[in-house]
Amino acid sequence: MVRLEPSPRVRELIREAAWIALHPSQDWLDAFDQATLAAYPSIGEDPALAAIISRSNRTNLIHFAAANLREPGASVPPNLGAEQVRMARELVRRGVDSVALEVYRIGHNVALRRWTEIVFGLTSDPAELRELLDGPVRSANEFVDATLAGLAAQMQQERDQLTRDIHAQRHRIVENILDGAPFNSEQAEAKLGYPLDGSHTAMIIWSDEPDDYHNELDRAAEAVVSTAGSPLALTVVPDAATRWLWSQDAAGFDITNVRHALSNAPGARAAIGTTAPGMDGFRTSHFDALTTQRTLARMRSTQRVALFGAIEMVALLTHDLASTDKFIANTLGDFESASRELHATLLAFIRQQCNASRAAKVLYIHRNTLLHRVEAAQKLLPRPLDETTLHVGIALEVLQWRGDHAEDYGKKRTEQQPGVAPTGSR
């Protein structure tokens, strides 16, 4: 909208009104403070915060009036000086940043009433009054809107910084706990907001994707905690691509719940440790989750959610991948390149102690179908199954996790055994 230049007479009246506004009485200032804080008694009862808000509001008055004294009727730039930045920081750190909008609006309304009183005391000419009210009031509205927009951006920066500070403090405390360094448990619990006694289940959520996906991790961690439904949960941010979690409700980190929580975060993956009691449990569960994560990475597994209990043996057997691959090749022979369906069938058969009826029930297939598949598998094995059952079972367990043959193993086992959690489920 094109702003009309005030007439010379109105410019002088605006300058005179601005001068009066710059020199209010103490009574008016006190009434101004009371009006802006009356809607929030809790703030008014905090002398330090009340003083900060009062100074911020008063600097807005001075900023606007001084701008009109210099250039009557011109647009006024937003006021984002030191007092506004300080108020933004204090409101955010005290968790009452939503108050800023209302406080500024109330102050704006009180100031506009004061401006109306001033201009009516300077002239009674209708045309002059129209210019004195229309132009400056529109300018004041634009000024407050621009100032609030800048203040909102500043408060977002303060929120981001506060979050970083909290996460950095939590990370330092947790690192000390994991390292076994001495610390005051009561102080640590207070700063973490998480009890260190009881039992703990740890989880690591991470992303192998580019930086654009790292924002998903916070949402994924929040979804996991929300799905867990327990207030006794802790989230730590060790780096941009990783989130560490602990819960005292072991059922909350059940693999099915975690998979559901990650459904809207396609770049996120999760490794879940065992459940263990006390401070040692806090550490060991995390290290179990870390072992799970590293095993998946080492084997280039595409598994998105994995339990330590399901991968523990594989972790022990795969430190030397070249030797592991050689063991699989020697044990399985041509069967290594068979279909996943055939692998899954033989693995289920071995897990059920080579009992065809039980294995068929687990796989939801007919017993004869299972026997045909087992017979087909045995023809591809280099040695008879009854002589190499243990070795074949181990090779197939490892193969389930290898990147070129990975399936959602935890999910498969859950589906195969309704009502029975996979080994290691907590």
Side-chain angles (χ1 to χ4, degrees), residues 211 214-215 217 237-243:
D211 291 345
H214 292 169
N215 290 335
L217 297 181
V237 182
D239 57 59
T242 312
R243 302 294 181 267

Side-chain angles (χ1 to χ4, degrees), residues 40 51 96 106 124 140 143 152 158-159 171 188 193-194 201 220 237 254 280 313 331 352 363 370 376 410 413:
Y40 299 94
V96 290
I106 293 170
S124 58
F143 162 71
E158 295 295 336
R159 281 192 288 270
H171 186 212
Y194 178 80
T201 305
V237 182
D254 173 78
D280 287 339
M313 181 181 69
T331 302
Q352 297 302 321
L363 293 173
L370 181 132
R413 294 189 68 181

Side-chain angles (χ1 to χ4, degrees), residues 114-132:
R114 175 58 178 158
W115 180 265
T116 301
E117 293 172 359
I118 292 173
V119 299
F120 269 90
L122 295 177
T123 180
S124 58
D125 181 271
E128 291 177 349
L129 285 172
R130 185 178 300 109
E131 279 195 80
L132 284 169

Side-chain angles (χ1 to χ4, degrees), residues 331-332 334-335 338 342 346 349-350 354 370-389 392:
T331 302
L332 300 183
D334 293 339
F335 185 59
L342 212 54
L346 189 58
F349 180 66
I350 293 172
C354 298
L370 181 132
L371 289 174
H372 285 310
R373 290 181 186 176
V374 171
E375 183 180 357
Q378 296 209 61
K379 290 179 181 179
L380 296 174
L381 290 169
R383 292 179 297 281
L385 180 62
D386 58 2
E387 298 176 6
T388 58
T389 304
V392 171

Side-chain angles (χ1 to χ4, degrees), residues 81-92:
E83 292 296 342
Q84 275 59 39
V85 171
R86 183 181 181 188
M87 184 184 77
R89 180 179 301 114
E90 290 299 324
L91 289 176
V92 167

Side-chain angles (χ1 to χ4, degrees), residues 7 10 15 51 80 85 91 108 116 119 124 127 130 152 161 168 186 196 242 245 272 275 278 282 318 378:
S7 64
V10 170
R15 185 175 280 115
L80 300 172
V85 171
L91 289 176
H108 174 54
T116 301
V119 299
S124 58
R130 185 178 300 109
Q161 182 60 50
E186 291 185 2
L196 295 172
T242 312
L245 285 76
I272 308 170
T275 297
F282 184 93
T318 57
Q378 296 209 61

Side-chain angles (χ1 to χ4, degrees), residues 57-309:
N57 272 320
R58 292 185 185 189
T59 60
N60 280 340
L61 294 176
I62 295 171
H63 182 92
F64 185 80
N68 276 281
L69 192 63
R70 292 190 302 270
E71 192 64 37
S75 296
V76 179
N79 179 25
L80 300 172
E83 292 296 342
Q84 275 59 39
V85 171
R86 183 181 181 188
M87 184 184 77
R89 180 179 301 114
E90 290 299 324
L91 289 176
V92 167
R93 291 183 181 272
R94 296 174 190 232
V96 290
D97 44 298
S98 60
V99 167
L101 178 64
E102 287 303 315
V103 166
Y104 268 39
R105 290 298 184 195
I106 293 170
H108 174 54
N109 292 336
V110 174
L112 285 181
R113 288 199 298 270
R114 175 58 178 158
W115 180 265
T116 301
E117 293 172 359
I118 292 173
V119 299
F120 269 90
L122 295 177
T123 180
S124 58
D125 181 271
E128 291 177 349
L129 285 172
R130 185 178 300 109
E131 279 195 80
L132 284 169
L133 292 174
D134 183 54
V137 168
R138 186 185 307 117
S139 177
N141 288 334
E142 293 169 356
F143 162 71
V144 170
D145 287 343
T147 298
L148 282 173
L151 192 63
Q154 180 63 41
M155 286 193 292
Q156 185 58 53
Q157 292 180 20
E158 295 295 336
R159 281 192 288 270
D160 293 343
Q161 182 60 50
L162 180 61
T163 299
R164 287 193 293 270
D165 290 347
I166 291 173
H167 283 310
Q169 184 183 59
R170 286 180 176 177
H171 186 212
R172 286 193 298 270
I173 294 171
V174 167
E175 284 282 14
N176 284 336
I177 296 173
L178 296 177
D179 290 342
F183 66 95
N184 184 301
S185 60
E186 291 185 2
Q187 291 181 2
E189 288 179 346
K191 291 178 180 179
L192 293 174
Y194 178 80
L196 295 172
D197 56 359
S199 294
H200 308 276
T201 305
M203 179 188 304
I204 297 175
I205 297 177
W206 79 99
S207 172
D208 300 323
E209 303 291 345
D211 291 345
D212 290 346
Y213 287 89
H214 292 169
N215 290 335
E216 290 186 356
L217 297 181
D218 288 328
R219 294 195 298 271
E222 290 171 2
V224 167
V225 172
S226 176
T227 301
S230 171
L232 301 179
L234 170 66
T235 302
V236 174
V237 182
D239 57 59
T242 312
R243 302 294 181 267
W244 294 345
L245 285 76
W246 283 264
S247 174
Q248 292 209 338
D249 182 1
F253 284 0
D254 173 78
I255 192 169
T256 303
N257 292 338
V258 173
R259 188 178 295 107
H260 176 73
L262 298 189
S263 60
N264 293 322
R269 306 176 70 189
I272 308 170
T274 52
T275 297
M279 199 72 67
D280 287 339
F282 184 93
R283 298 185 186 97
T284 58
S285 185
H286 173 76
F287 292 136
D288 287 347
L290 188 61
T291 296
T292 304
Q293 179 195 27
R294 289 173 175 173
T295 302
L296 294 178
R298 183 169 63 246
M299 300 191 68
R300 298 182 180 180
S301 174
T302 57
Q303 174 75 279
R304 288 196 63 204
V305 182
L307 298 159
F308 175 73

